[in-house]
Amino acid sequence: MSEFSNPPRRALKLLRFYCSEERLEEIEGDLCEVYNEFIRERGKKYSKIFYWWLVVKNFRSYALKRKKMKNKGLIDGLFMFLKHNILITWRNLLKHKNTSVINIAGLAIGIASFLSIYTIVQYELSFNKEVPDANRIYRITSSFSGSFKSTNRGVAVPVSGHVKETFTGMETVSPFHNFSAKVSIYKEDVKEDMGRQRTIILADESYFDLVSLDDWIVGSKESMRDPFKVVLTASQAEKYFGNKNYQGMMDKEIIYRDSLKVYVSGIVRAPEYANDFGFTEFISYPSISASWLKERFGSDDWSSTNSSSQLFIKLHPESNYEDVLSQMDELDKYVQEQNEGQDWIQSYNLQPLADLHYNQDFGIFDYSGSSTHKPTLTVLSIVAIFLLLIAVFNFINLETVQSTNKSKEVGVRKVLGSGRFHLVGRFLTESVLITFFAVIISIPLAHYGLIFFDEFVPEGAVLRYQDIGFWFLLILLTFGVGLLAGAYPSWITSSFVPIKALKSGFNLKSTSMRGSWLRKALISFQFLFSQLLIVVTFAVVLQISFMLDKELGFEEEGVIYLFTPWYETDEKKELLLNEIARIPEVQEISMNGAPPVQNGYSTNTVKYQKGEDELMLNPHQKSGDTSYLHFYGIELLAGTNLRPNESANEMLINETFMKDLGFEMPRDVIGLNLELNKKDYRVVGVMEDFHFRSMHHPIQPLMLRYNESNRCIAMKAGSGDQLERTIDKLTEKWDAVYGEIPLTINFMDETVSKFYESERKTSKLASLATGLAIFISCLGLIGLISFTIVQKSKEMGIRKVLGASVLQIGSILSREFVILILVSFAIATPLSYFAISKWLEDFAYQTEISWWVYGLGGLASVIIALASIFAKVWKASTSNPIESLRYE
Amino acid sequence: MKGTNLGEFEELVLLTVGILYDNAYSVAIQKELSKQSGRKITISSIHSAVYRLEEKGLLNSRMGDMAKIRGGKRKRIFTISKAGKVALAKASEIRNKLRSQIPEVAWQNLS
């Protein structure tokens, strides 16, 4: 045993790696001894290999780390760790009830708003995504250029036939017409009115292939080949017949507009995913040519395009999009040949199905609501994330300042050997657990929130409990928010030096200061966001009231109007008119093609020979009787009113039109000849400009002509009781003349205010978000101030003893927040200016947003913040100093 | 399935532990057993045997002193437990009992 050699290092390392701690010492010793003996007996040659061999051979069950046992221990340990943490968390929650409530409530509201907005956005984005082969489906839409520029979601009726004949590479070509009609059904020989249905289409069997509507209960798509057949969706059939006996509904008669009789030939189940094809009844295509429908939908005019005449194609899976585009070019050429002689060009384009729900220019279908504005969804998502962040910031702030409360716990744990990561784990468990409670509470909040705020929640946007993704999102939120909110506070809390933490009188001075810049930044951000929302909401409200209050340039007060049915005779209209004239409450009547403002609009091409040049204009057109000007109080700047004679070919134009024609003085333009519909019209007067469209649009050129066949009857009928009596009598007269056709009475001021429906929605949504943001931030403020008050109670006591007033104490306590709000105000102002200008760009007429609106945001948040902490501060500053000093 | 039954190798190890009394650690057992039986025995087979015997309760053990040649590591000293003694006795008893029952004639004409 003269000398000793150490075994090869790497082999030793391997041994130490796999060998259990329990056995390592003896085995390592044994191997070492054997190794040295080997060297002594046989020399160093091969000795290393021998040792390696020993180590490898030693790789047996007795020496190995007991993996199984260890693992079990780990899981047990983790479980213990969690159980222990959860218990302590629970105790902590109960101990600091106020903070817990604020934390959980803030997070729950933040998460609930996030969930609701997520649900809405998700729903809106899911539209038509699940339609089978959605990526191969396109709608053919029209756009016009030349003498007028416009778009239309429909096509000229003969286009569909042409596409069917000439296009290659199509799986399905499906034309259909949107149709709306009063529906009635005979039930036991009694005709029963089912009301007006808007979700009707006239379609052929290809429609069912297009959207893969193939869940037939009875009947089949082939039945659509015959005239006077109708297929219903299951839900519509149940609505009509009141039972689920689908077989018994076959061949039942359904009557549209009292005159079109069709027979049920099939019932199909509609898909449940979100889609725009919400049609409920499908009248067979051959019915068009066999009935009066042909007047409306049976046209073979290439130059007339109606938005209700839809054409969809589904490409063959193998066909090439480029090929289809070139075929579309061919189609355009063909259409131009057909429309030879028109001074405009119609071209057809493909609109992918994915675009259908979101394209503002085309809209969806005639019956559908307005299409979804994608940028709005983006803004909504940003608001959702910020609301969530505000709640997270609350949590971070409260937990950070509260960390002193945990100093003793941290001290004791560290003394007992807890590492920093154990502590971080312990506090993260706490924050995840608190978030978990918040998520649990947020589910019913979001559920009922979505129901309660149905004004801006689209129908069908509900929490998708049946969806695994939804639960996954909840889990993600729990951990994401929990970890995000808990990371910083737990890091700070676990950093305490145990001796200092355990020393009595441990104060936050050293530790809290470290986090104070972050806390300040977070508070500033919360108020920044709140202020931004306050100012933007206010600006939206201001703009709406500006638009509603702005002089329209015509009289709208107390004007009501109604349209007579276009398919009824003129005699009936005259009859009704005479009847109305006899109602004593009606003060004035005017017949016109359309009231000064209306939802739709109509334009026409006018040619003007100005010297050598031919000027082409595309003014809006309206028509009325001679009372139009007087009835609506529209001023004539020059010239005379129209004569009651259609063939006189006279027109009135507005100021803008006059300026577009290149004239400055109204009287100069009188007597001018303009060519319209290949006829010469003479300008006899110039009207003062009035707003005939919403304030989104600048006033455009307009011409007014005399027309005898007007359908709109406008009348002034006073207000209040008088108005109600008028409406009663009006309804009576209407029923006498038109029988079952429903009467719709429009109020002019309502029509105007309906223009701003979406703005009003925006303002409501913005106020809601503002309220939530302010509420969550104020919750946080209250939590922070109550903590500060506890911390500073002795200081306040001493100050009071020395003679400080209530006001002074209050200002000391709240000074920090006011400064922070002012800082955030400085940042919020340019941001909100930017946001508002961006939003106002949509309007041709914008209200002035004066400086005080911005100031108001700052002021409001200071006031709200002070008000929310007032009670706490008041209590602290009026309390008897003895209370806080007594124990010293 | 670990009863008190002894395997052949286990029995030899157990006996060797007895022989080495109070100095019975793995390397010593290996040397002694190799010497006595003339077999080539690796250290790891000794390890697996002694640990198994200890688990069966036939051996007791304690940590002994360290030695330089062991790289300063202590050795584990094994001693026979009561159960070990019983097991050894039982094993040789069974063997003797069986052996005594072999008829004399069976020993003749062995090829």
Side-chain angles (χ1 to χ4, degrees):
Chain A
M1 279 209 243
S2 49
E3 57 190 297
F4 168 77
S5 350
N6 272 317
R9 277 241 306 280
R10 249 176 250 170
L12 200 57
K13 226 173 168 180
L14 173 68
L15 175 70
R16 283 177 182 160
F17 168 71
Y18 72 73
C19 192
S20 70
E21 240 169 85
E22 209 182 329
R23 297 281 185 221
L24 181 64
E25 181 170 6
E26 49 195 274
I27 291 179
E28 198 185 319
D30 288 346
L31 294 193
C32 184
E33 196 178 330
V34 173
Y35 171 71
N36 272 297
E37 228 146 88
F38 181 89
I39 293 175
R40 211 180 54 208
E41 279 168 21
R42 305 194 206 170
K44 289 216 163 182
K45 213 177 171 189
Y46 306 124
S47 70
K48 284 198 172 155
I49 296 172
F50 174 70
Y51 188 80
W52 272 104
W53 179 234
L54 282 180
V55 170
V56 172
K57 279 200 80 171
N58 185 52
F59 193 77
R60 297 216 193 160
S61 63
Y62 59 81
L64 294 185
K65 285 182 179 162
R66 299 296 171 101
K67 271 277 160 58
K68 260 190 189 158
M69 289 294 287
K70 276 237 155 167
N71 250 349
K72 194 153 176 279
L74 195 73
I75 288 170
D76 273 357
L78 200 64
F79 185 69
M80 283 262 289
F81 180 72
L82 276 178
K83 200 172 125 189
H84 173 82
N85 283 347
I86 288 170
L87 189 69
I88 301 245
T89 303
W90 183 247
R91 285 182 192 151
N92 261 334
L93 285 181
L94 291 182
K95 193 167 154 202
H96 307 289
K97 282 201 191 72
N98 288 339
T99 329
S100 316
V101 167
I102 287 175
N103 260 342
I104 295 182
L107 275 181
I109 294 172
I111 293 173
S113 2
F114 180 83
L115 269 185
S116 327
I117 295 178
Y118 174 84
T119 308
I120 294 173
V121 172
Q122 181 75 9
Y123 176 74
E124 290 289 1
L125 289 182
S126 72
F127 261 86
N128 303 334
K129 289 254 161 63
E130 283 178 63
V131 175
D133 311 317
N135 56 338
R136 288 194 273 129
I137 300 177
Y138 297 86
R139 173 161 79 178
I140 296 183
T141 57
S142 311
S143 64
F144 301 89
S145 56
S147 63
F148 69 100
K149 279 192 170 55
S150 151
T151 54
N152 195 315
R153 60 171 161 266
V155 295
V157 176
V159 171
S160 55
H162 183 74
V163 168
K164 256 186 192 170
E165 275 167 33
T166 61
F167 272 38
T168 56
M170 300 291 122
E171 190 174 291
T172 312
V173 175
S174 173
F176 59 88
H177 303 284
N178 288 106
F179 182 54
S180 81
K182 194 186 82 168
V183 177
S184 35
I185 294 173
Y186 275 102
K187 280 188 185 166
E188 289 158 5
D189 294 335
V190 183
K191 194 173 172 186
E192 213 170 291
D193 190 0
M194 292 291 148
R196 191 177 179 79
Q197 302 297 324
R198 298 175 175 281
T199 49
I200 309 167
I201 58 172
L202 305 158
D204 61 14
E205 57 186 298
S206 64
Y207 176 81
F208 299 90
D209 298 330
L210 180 77
V211 293
S212 305
L213 200 59
D214 50 12
D215 191 1
W216 292 91
I217 299 173
V218 285
S220 69
K221 63 182 182 187
E222 281 77 25
S223 64
M224 299 290 281
R225 291 174 191 167
D226 302 323
F228 304 116
K229 297 290 180 198
V230 65
V231 167
L232 300 175
T233 59
S235 55
Q236 192 74 358
E238 281 161 34
K239 197 169 121 196
Y240 282 170
F241 298 101
N243 60 47
K244 291 193 179 209
N245 175 16
Y246 302 116
Q247 204 65 50
M249 295 170 194
M250 291 294 276
D251 297 322
K252 283 274 170 64
E253 186 184 62
I254 296 183
I255 306 158
Y256 293 94
R257 283 194 187 155
D258 294 320
S259 50
L260 178 69
K261 294 180 178 170
V262 296
Y263 301 89
V264 178
S265 69
I267 290 168
V268 69
R269 235 184 281 277
E272 293 195 343
Y273 49 73
N275 68 89
D276 287 315
F277 300 92
F279 306 114
T280 54
E281 36 216 293
F282 313 91
I283 300 174
S284 63
Y285 217 79
S287 319
I288 297 176
S289 49
S291 71
W292 51 260
L293 284 169
K294 66 173 172 284
E295 284 161 36
R296 228 180 120 188
F297 301 113
S299 141
D300 53 3
D301 183 359
W302 284 85
S303 66
S304 143
T305 306
N306 193 311
S307 66
S308 59
S309 299
Q310 299 284 306
L311 178 59
F312 277 76
I313 56 172
K314 185 197 269 190
L315 309 191
H316 201 271
E318 266 111 61
S319 50
N320 188 344
Y321 183 68
E322 306 297 319
D323 288 350
V324 182
L325 284 186
S326 63
Q327 297 188 68
M328 292 295 293
D329 287 341
E330 290 298 314
L331 173 68
D332 282 349
K333 276 183 209 148
Y334 185 79
V335 171
Q336 268 178 54
E337 281 165 28
Q338 301 300 315
N339 286 345
E340 193 80 65
Q342 306 282 6
D343 50 9
W344 42 264
I345 296 168
Q346 181 168 21
S347 59
Y348 289 106
N349 308 297
L350 292 178
Q351 181 191 20
L353 181 59
D355 185 50
L356 186 68
H357 192 67
Y358 312 103
N359 195 314
Q360 307 274 312
D361 295 337
F362 293 119
I364 308 170
F365 292 120
D366 284 359
Y367 85 95
S368 318
S370 55
S371 46
T372 299
H373 191 218
K374 269 195 172 169
T376 306
L377 293 185
T378 315
V379 172
L380 261 185
S381 315
I382 292 173
V383 169
I385 288 169
F386 277 127
L387 283 177
L388 191 59
L389 274 186
I390 286 188
V392 168
F393 290 172
N394 260 357
F395 187 92
I396 295 176
N397 283 340
L398 285 179
E399 284 298 299
T400 316
V401 298
Q402 295 259 328
S403 55
T404 30
N405 286 341
K406 292 173 181 155
S407 63
K408 292 269 163 4
E409 184 191 336
V410 172
V412 171
R413 279 173 186 275
K414 282 204 165 174
V415 167
L416 289 179
S418 259
R420 187 160 187 182
F421 284 96
H422 286 109
L423 287 170
V424 169
R426 141 91 183 87
F427 294 122
L428 282 184
T429 328
E430 184 168 316
S431 63
V432 169
L433 200 69
I434 289 177
T435 318
F436 176 72
F437 289 136
V439 167
I440 298 272
I441 296 173
S442 74
I443 296 173
L445 278 184
H447 184 107
Y448 290 105
L450 285 173
I451 295 172
F452 186 73
F453 297 106
D454 56 349
E455 247 178 296
F456 24 77
V457 177
E459 209 181 326
V462 288
L463 296 184
R464 295 164 62 88
Y465 300 110
Q466 74 281 16
D467 201 345
I468 284 188
F470 172 73
W471 298 103
F472 187 71
L473 176 75
L474 289 188
I475 293 171
L476 201 73
L477 273 178
T478 308
F479 282 93
V481 172
L483 295 182
L484 186 66
Y488 181 73
S490 64
W491 187 250
I492 286 293
T493 315
S494 62
S495 70
F496 294 155
V497 179
I499 287 205
K500 285 190 188 155
L502 284 173
K503 214 156 71 176
S504 74
F506 172 73
N507 205 318
L508 212 53
K509 271 282 167 307
S510 53
T511 39
S512 78
M513 282 309 128
R514 250 197 291 169
S516 71
W517 65 265
L518 181 83
R519 190 166 72 244
K520 284 176 183 158
L522 296 185
I523 296 178
S524 306
F525 177 84
Q526 292 183 318
F527 278 93
L528 177 90
F529 187 59
S530 307
Q531 288 180 27
L532 196 64
L533 281 174
I534 294 177
V535 176
V536 170
T537 310
F538 209 73
V540 173
V541 171
L542 279 181
Q543 173 69 14
I544 293 173
S545 65
F546 165 79
M547 293 187 290
L548 288 180
D549 294 346
K550 193 165 192 302
E551 279 301 319
L552 294 173
F554 66 91
E555 234 172 275
E556 38 150 347
E557 271 308 292
V559 173
I560 59 177
Y561 62 94
L562 52 92
F563 287 91
T564 56
W566 56 270
Y567 46 84
E568 289 286 358
T569 57
D570 279 353
E571 286 75 39
K572 282 192 178 179
K573 189 179 74 185
E574 288 301 322
L575 188 63
L576 180 71
L577 195 60
N578 289 333
E579 288 291 327
I580 292 176
R582 269 199 294 214
I583 301 176
E585 283 83 2
V586 173
Q587 296 146 3
E588 244 185 299
I589 303 182
S590 171
M591 286 293 292
N592 39 79
V597 286
Q598 69 179 130
N599 241 332
Y601 62 91
S602 153
T603 59
N604 212 329
T605 315
V606 166
K607 276 187 211 159
Y608 166 50
Q609 202 67 38
K610 188 177 192 178
E612 306 256 302
D613 308 332
E614 195 184 58
L615 211 59
M616 286 268 244
L617 289 146
N618 187 36
H620 289 251
Q621 57 181 354
K622 288 188 185 294
S623 62
D625 60 10
T626 50
S627 66
Y628 201 89
L629 291 183
H630 181 255
F631 183 84
Y632 290 112
I634 299 166
E635 295 265 327
L636 264 189
L637 296 176
T640 56
N641 198 352
L642 301 165
R643 276 179 294 169
N645 181 357
E646 248 182 75
S647 52
N649 288 354
E650 292 174 339
M651 64 160 76
L652 295 172
I653 63 173
N654 72 351
E655 259 179 292
T656 310
F657 195 177
M658 172 192 82
K659 282 174 191 148
D660 279 10
L661 287 170
F663 291 88
E664 280 303 318
M665 297 304 292
R667 63 171 179 275
D668 294 346
V669 83
I670 308 293
L672 206 67
N673 274 324
L674 300 174
E675 190 191 321
L676 171 73
N677 295 345
K678 313 230 156 106
K679 273 183 256 172
D680 272 341
Y681 278 80
R682 204 166 70 85
V683 176
V684 293
V686 177
M687 299 177 287
E688 205 178 26
D689 271 346
F690 60 90
H691 290 274
F692 55 92
R693 296 184 73 191
S694 76
M695 298 287 168
H696 296 90
H697 311 279
I699 295 178
Q700 284 156 329
L702 171 78
M703 56 192 175
L704 179 71
R705 283 176 296 151
Y706 180 81
N707 193 336
E708 264 153 20
S709 55
N710 292 312
R711 293 204 301 115
C712 175
I713 304 176
M715 65 206 88
K716 286 185 193 160
S719 58
D721 280 353
Q722 196 189 347
L723 180 65
E724 261 171 49
R725 280 202 302 279
T726 318
I727 291 173
D728 284 348
K729 286 179 186 166
L730 202 57
T731 317
E732 208 176 289
K733 308 281 184 203
W734 174 279
D735 287 349
V737 177
Y738 288 115
E740 289 178 20
I741 298 170
L743 164 68
T744 316
I745 297 175
N746 304 288
F747 299 83
M748 186 65 80
D749 43 0
E750 243 172 52
T751 309
V752 173
S753 80
K754 255 186 204 155
F755 284 154
Y756 311 118
E757 206 60 42
S758 85
E759 279 74 26
R760 211 164 289 136
K761 228 165 137 181
T762 309
S763 86
K764 278 181 187 159
L765 204 65
S767 354
L768 185 65
T770 313
L772 284 174
I774 292 178
F775 183 70
I776 302 174
S777 330
C778 286
L779 269 185
L781 271 196
I782 294 173
L784 283 180
I785 196 81
S786 26
F787 184 78
T788 317
I789 288 169
V790 173
Q791 287 272 301
K792 292 191 173 169
S793 64
K794 289 210 181 72
E795 180 191 332
M796 295 303 129
I798 293 168
R799 280 180 191 275
K800 284 202 87 170
V801 169
L802 293 178
S805 70
V806 171
L807 198 67
Q808 279 168 325
I809 298 216
S811 77
I812 287 170
L813 285 174
S814 44
R815 193 171 47 203
E816 190 192 354
F817 297 123
V818 175
I819 291 173
L820 287 180
I821 292 172
L822 290 181
V823 169
S824 60
F825 171 66
I827 308 171
T829 306
L831 283 180
S832 41
Y833 176 78
F834 176 74
I836 292 171
S837 330
K838 197 91 190 136
W839 184 74
L840 283 179
E841 272 174 17
D842 265 356
F843 302 91
Y845 300 91
Q846 306 171 349
T847 177
E848 287 279 316
I849 305 288
S850 48
W851 61 270
W852 59 263
V853 175
Y854 298 99
L856 194 89
L859 192 68
S861 46
V862 171
I863 291 174
I864 293 169
L866 288 185
S868 65
I869 59 179
F870 176 77
K872 293 272 176 191
V873 171
W874 180 256
K875 207 173 136 203
S877 39
T878 53
S879 68
N880 192 334
I882 291 178
E883 300 291 327
S884 54
L885 296 175
R886 174 183 282 161
Y887 293 102
E888 289 285 290
Chain B
M1 298 302 278
K2 282 173 187 162
T4 43
N5 288 337
L6 283 175
E8 189 255 358
F9 188 69
E10 283 177 348
E11 192 180 349
L12 292 184
V13 170
L14 200 51
L15 290 167
T16 317
V17 169
I19 295 168
L20 288 171
Y21 174 70
D22 217 25
N23 193 26
Y25 71 102
S26 312
V27 181
I29 300 171
Q30 183 209 9
K31 278 191 208 153
E32 184 64 26
L33 195 52
S34 316
K35 203 170 80 195
Q36 297 251 4
S37 67
R39 295 193 205 171
K40 217 176 162 190
I41 296 163
T42 60
I43 185 74
S44 44
S45 48
I46 298 291
H47 276 143
S48 66
V50 288
Y51 292 139
R52 200 159 53 231
L53 287 168
E54 192 182 10
E55 227 169 286
K56 289 182 181 177
L58 307 182
L59 282 179
N60 290 330
S61 78
R62 65 186 154 84
M63 296 306 281
D65 38 313
M66 36 196 185
K68 199 187 167 210
I69 193 166
R70 299 175 57 82
K73 304 289 178 200
R74 290 177 300 169
K75 36 185 137 174
R76 186 174 286 279
I77 311 276
F78 294 91
T79 47
I80 299 182
S81 68
K82 270 187 188 161
K85 188 185 163 194
V86 172
L88 274 179
K90 214 169 159 186
S92 64
E93 187 191 334
I94 292 172
R95 228 168 268 185
N96 289 335
K97 202 167 108 190
L98 293 174
R99 200 191 161 87
S100 65
Q101 289 170 40
I102 299 174
E104 205 50 38
V105 68
W107 299 111
Q108 289 161 11
N109 299 328
L110 295 174
S111 58

